[in-house]
Amino acid sequence: MAVTSPPRARAAYDAYLAECPARQLLDRISNKWVSLVVNALAEGPQRYSDLSRQLASVSQKMLTQTLRALERDGLVTRTVTPSVPVRVDYALTPLGEGLIPVMQAIKNWAEENMDEVLAARRRYDDEISPGDA
């Protein structure tokens, strides 16, 4: 007969507290590169080189750090296929797929509202003189 432990109570997380793990996760997923990687991987597994091309201006170091962090958090899987050259594919896990609607909504909102934001920035900049800042 197997011995089971009592169910663990779900920890209460409060992302408003600096030391809360949920705050750390919010910091991670609010990163622009994370948002763009999740959106890119929403289309399906991709090779590192494909992600690098799609995410214009991301450095190799930043893309590698972003993918490793997402893998550590259980949001992305890394699959190495032995070949010449070695093939490395990245894909969202089921947990990572849960971010797709949120990340796509934010990306779409930014693209759809950019004209208004640019106009607001111009109005703001026109109202503030260099000495006021």
Side-chain angles (χ1 to χ4, degrees):
M1 181 165 105
V3 177
T4 60
S5 58
R8 288 177 41 192
R10 185 173 182 172
Y13 297 109
D14 184 350
Y16 289 112
L17 301 175
E19 67 279 357
C20 180
R23 169 67 117 0
Q24 295 165 3
L25 182 58
L26 282 174
D27 287 344
R28 166 99 64 234
I29 63 176
S30 65
N31 175 285
K32 73 176 175 182
W33 297 119
V34 168
S35 174
L36 293 171
V37 165
V38 169
N39 275 298
L41 291 176
E43 300 169 11
Q46 292 197 38
R47 296 177 77 169
Y48 182 94
S49 58
D50 296 330
L51 285 170
S52 182
R53 269 191 299 279
Q54 189 170 359
L55 279 65
S57 80
V58 68
S59 69
Q60 183 177 354
K61 178 181 177 182
M62 184 53 63
L63 181 55
T64 298
Q65 287 177 346
T66 300
L67 289 166
R68 284 184 182 158
L70 291 171
E71 186 178 8
R72 181 173 183 252
D73 287 341
L75 302 173
V76 165
T77 59
R78 179 178 183 266
T79 304
V80 178
T81 304
S83 61
V84 178
V86 173
R87 180 183 173 108
V88 180
D89 290 287
Y90 293 90
L92 292 173
T93 64
L95 184 61
E97 288 173 353
L99 283 173
I100 293 172
V102 175
M103 295 300 188
Q104 285 180 338
I106 291 171
K107 178 182 169 289
N108 291 340
W109 183 91
E111 292 169 349
E112 291 168 6
N113 292 283
M114 200 62 238
D115 288 339
E116 279 188 66
V117 170
L118 290 172
R121 287 177 183 175
R122 282 191 299 274
R123 284 191 305 274
Y124 180 89
D125 292 345
D126 288 345
E127 292 174 10
I128 303 262
S129 67
D132 293 342

